Amino acid sequence: MQPTDIYQSQCLGTNVVYYQTYQILSYMAEAMGEDQGRFGALAAELKESINQHLWSEDKGYYGQYLYGQPGGYMLSDRSEALGEALAIIYGVASAERRQTISVNTPVLDYGIPCIYPQIPNISPYHNEGIWPFVQAYWNWAQAKAGNEKGLEHGLAALYRAA
């Protein structure tokens, strides 16, 4: 990818955080007695867009990002652990999708990798990395999805690293 492609990409995790930010702004406006409609509408529109454009039906989880130029966007076939977890935690994923994501997102013996599948010939960082804070969010998402077995595996991954 070139810098322009990266700039114009649409990342799962970033968009889920924006969604939650609009939700929080809506709650803040309500608490201040102001019109929350604009923020609520932006949140709903973004949630719909994430579910329409980043969901990978054949994988059973969201793609890491859409990349490329307008008119030529392609959905990445990789999962992004933090984005998947946040989509569950913040309610971007429906109850049904929470279950699907919970059981279909690739998890390895030592925990959930930041991205999967790995990118060949790239140094480890996000690639070939299992980060404890990402594992913690994944565990939280497993609890919200009701996946006890997934949560137990995730807790073991955190304890093992410690």
Side-chain angles (χ1 to χ4, degrees), residues 14 17 19 23-24 29 31 51 80 97-98 109 113 131 145 154-155:
T14 301
V17 169
Y19 163 78
Q23 290 286 83
I24 292 168
N51 280 297
E80 176 213 342
R97 282 194 177 169
R98 282 183 207 141
D109 290 342
W131 294 1
L155 289 171

Side-chain angles (χ1 to χ4, degrees), residues 15-157:
N15 278 284
V16 172
V17 169
Y18 288 158
Y19 163 78
Q20 183 64 9
T21 301
Y22 287 136
Q23 290 286 83
I24 292 168
L25 289 170
S26 177
Y27 303 148
M28 291 170 63
E30 180 182 27
M32 294 173 53
E34 297 180 11
D35 180 23
Q36 64 186 32
R38 176 176 66 142
F39 298 118
L42 288 168
E45 183 181 329
L46 185 52
K47 180 179 179 176
E48 181 180 333
S49 184
I50 291 167
N51 280 297
Q52 179 181 354
H53 299 293
L54 290 169
W55 181 251
S56 178
E57 189 67 41
D58 62 321
K59 300 282 186 188
Y61 52 77
Y62 294 100
Q64 180 183 14
Y65 51 78
L66 287 175
Y67 60 102
Q69 307 264 333
Y73 284 114
M74 294 175 54
L75 180 61
S76 169
D77 65 348
R78 288 182 171 79
S79 69
E80 176 213 342
L82 185 57
E84 307 291 348
L86 293 176
I88 291 171
I89 293 165
Y90 294 146
V92 169
S94 66
E96 180 182 332
R97 282 194 177 169
R98 282 183 207 141
Q99 297 297 318
T100 303
I101 295 165
S102 178
V103 298
N104 287 314
T105 300
V107 176
L108 304 176
D109 290 342
Y110 291 99
I112 189 159
C114 290
I115 61 169
Y116 189 90
Q118 305 305 316
I119 304 169
N121 305 314
I122 301 281
S123 299
Y125 186 66
H126 291 98
N127 195 50
E128 297 186 24
I130 296 172
W131 294 1
F133 93 91
V134 173
Q135 183 66 59
Y137 275 95
W138 181 250
N139 294 352
W140 183 7
Q142 294 307 287
K144 186 163 184 175
N147 184 350
E148 184 177 347
K149 189 173 183 178
L151 177 57
E152 288 175 358
H153 183 274
L155 289 171

